């Protein structure tokens, strides 16, 4: 019998190591599942949500990695509810991350009246102007859309690309990222410019007697401080697309958005447009940041075409000096039936 003054309570029994380990694995699995759950929930709800969901939507396919790791941890921790959560997130993410369907077999609207190659390139403050010039000389596209092409870039294009090859040119904006340029083998008529921080000029091209509406795209990137402007400028592109839905139309450039952004999909829906790269089976090919090896990155550079066009091919070109890959698409313009 212990004396009351010297008696001590026995130490509390420590939690079994297996239970502690399982709890830690469960917490980690839950934390890993939160970002992909929020992103795919917004994707399913056809909304872009708020920061950081907007930014993560650009990299939706890569959210399969944390979701897959969470599933493994849930299995190791023997947490059935977490396993079900992880399997659900993986299934939904996988559904939205699947390659876009190719539309090359789509029935064209009428006979072919012209073949048009279109090149779009963000030359990053003009740093890749020389590489763009080399690509234009090599590929000889009919229409060139250049973003972040300041006055020095415009001057270099005028100096290095003969007027005989590209007699029709439109420059807009000015210094740094604000500058843009359109070059064409086909007669161009300026058609104003959207109200935007970075120049987004519009034009009408006479392609073998058919008037084709052109719009250069370069909305602000979705950084937290300008999310409202990002939405507004993508909305302006959607309004332009809706206004030109009844005729041949083409929008090309750096959209700072992917096919997983609701604001981008509204441009397609309102204008009856299709993504040329997706039609050519390259809808998940990344265009930014170019320094990352494929297939890492996001496709934010697009050429969108109306029903008057069919797509023969789409290729992404590496241009040293810029953080974007250029996109070259080969199109056929069809007459209306």
């Amino acid at each position: 019998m212990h004396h009351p003054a010297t008696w001590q309570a026995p130490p509390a029994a420590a939690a079994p190591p297996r239970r502690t380990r399982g709890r830690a694995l469960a917490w980690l699995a839950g934390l890993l599942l939160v970002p992909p759950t929020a992103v795919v929930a917004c994707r399913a709800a056809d909304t872009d949500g708020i920061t950081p969901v907007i930014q993560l939507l650009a990299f939706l396919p890569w959210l399969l990695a944390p979701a897959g790791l969470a599933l493994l941890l849930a299995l190791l921790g023997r947490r059935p509810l977490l396993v079900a959560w992880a399997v659900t997130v993986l299934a939904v993410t996988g559904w939205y991350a699947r390659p876009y369907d190719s539309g090359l077999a789509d029935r064209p609207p009428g006979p072919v009246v012209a073949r048009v190659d279109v090149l779009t390139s963000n030359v990053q403050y003009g740093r890749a102007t020389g590489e763009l010039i080399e690509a234009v000389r090599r590929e000889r596209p009919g229409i060139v859309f250049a973003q972040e092409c300041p006055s020095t870039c415009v001057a270099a294009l005028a100096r290095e690309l003969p007027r005989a090859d590209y007699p029709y040119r439109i420059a807009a904006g000015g210094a740094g990222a604000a500058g843009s340029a359109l070059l064409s083998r086909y007669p161009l008529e300026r058609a104003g410019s959207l109200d935007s921080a970075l120049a987004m000029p519009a034009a009408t091209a006479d392609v073998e007697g058919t008037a084709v509406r052109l719009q250069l795209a370069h909305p602000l990137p979705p950084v937290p401080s300008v999310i409202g402007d990002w939405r507004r400028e993508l909305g302006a592109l959607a309004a332009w697309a809706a206004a030109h839905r009844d005729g041949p139309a083409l929008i090309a450039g750096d959209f700072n958005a992917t096919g997983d952004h609701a604001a981008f999909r509204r441009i397609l829906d309102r204008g009856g447009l299709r993504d040329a790269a997706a039609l050519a089976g390259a809808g998940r090919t990344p265009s930014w940041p170019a320094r990352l090896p494929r297939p890492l990155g996001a496709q934010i550079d697009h050429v969108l075409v109306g029903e008057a066009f069919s797509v023969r091919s789409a290729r992404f070109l590496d241009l040293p000096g810029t953080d974007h890959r250029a996109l070259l698409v080969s199109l056929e313009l069809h007459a209306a039936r």
Side-chain angles (χ1 to χ4, degrees), residues 96-250:
Y96 286 119
R98 73 194 190 281
Y100 302 118
D101 293 334
S102 169
L104 288 177
D106 286 354
R107 186 166 177 258
V112 175
V113 297
R115 288 179 57 177
V116 184
D117 289 349
V118 175
L119 176 67
T120 179
S121 177
N122 180 321
V123 292
Q124 195 178 18
Y125 305 106
R127 295 170 185 163
T129 302
E131 289 85 351
L132 173 62
I133 290 169
E134 291 178 9
V136 170
R137 288 171 174 167
R138 181 177 66 252
E139 305 293 347
R140 300 182 60 80
I143 304 173
V144 179
F145 293 77
Q147 305 91 55
E148 298 196 20
C149 181
S151 56
T152 52
C153 166
V154 171
L157 294 176
R159 183 173 62 251
E160 302 295 335
L161 296 174
R163 280 279 176 179
D165 293 337
Y166 292 94
Y168 308 100
R169 308 175 186 218
I170 292 175
S180 295
L182 269 169
L183 282 70
S184 175
R185 297 182 184 276
Y186 310 101
L188 281 184
E189 181 180 347
R190 188 185 290 267
S193 182
L194 295 184
D195 180 17
S196 56
L198 309 177
M200 294 199 286
T204 300
D206 182 349
V207 181
E208 304 298 336
T210 299
V212 177
R213 301 286 188 172
L214 306 178
Q215 175 64 60
L216 185 144
H218 195 201
L220 287 168
V223 297
S225 60
V226 294
I227 288 297
D229 294 318
W230 175 79
R231 295 185 195 275
R232 179 183 61 80
E233 292 179 1
L234 285 170
L237 287 168
W240 184 94
H244 299 92
R245 185 184 181 111
D246 293 335
L250 189 156

Side-chain angles (χ1 to χ4, degrees), residues 102-112 274 279 306-311 332 334-337:
S102 169
L104 288 177
D106 286 354
R107 186 166 177 258
V112 175
R274 300 169 298 166
L279 292 178
E307 293 182 353
F309 290 96
S310 60
V311 181
E332 289 182 338
H334 298 260
R337 289 188 183 277

Side-chain angles (χ1 to χ4, degrees), residues 36 38-50 52-64 92-101 222 230-231 234 255-269 275 278 282-286 295 297-302 304:
V39 170
V40 296
C42 286
R43 180 68 172 84
D46 196 30
T47 179
D48 291 323
I50 60 175
V53 172
I54 292 173
Q55 293 80 10
L56 289 175
L57 273 165
F59 304 96
L60 183 144
W62 308 111
L63 296 177
L64 289 167
V92 177
T93 306
W95 170 260
Y96 286 119
R98 73 194 190 281
Y100 302 118
D101 293 334
W230 175 79
R231 295 185 195 275
L234 285 170
F255 286 74
N256 278 310
T258 73
D260 291 310
H261 285 106
F264 176 81
R265 294 194 299 277
R266 290 190 187 102
I267 300 172
L268 299 174
D269 294 341
D275 193 315
R284 287 289 182 189
T285 303
Q299 187 183 120
I300 62 175
D301 299 88
H302 307 271
L304 309 184

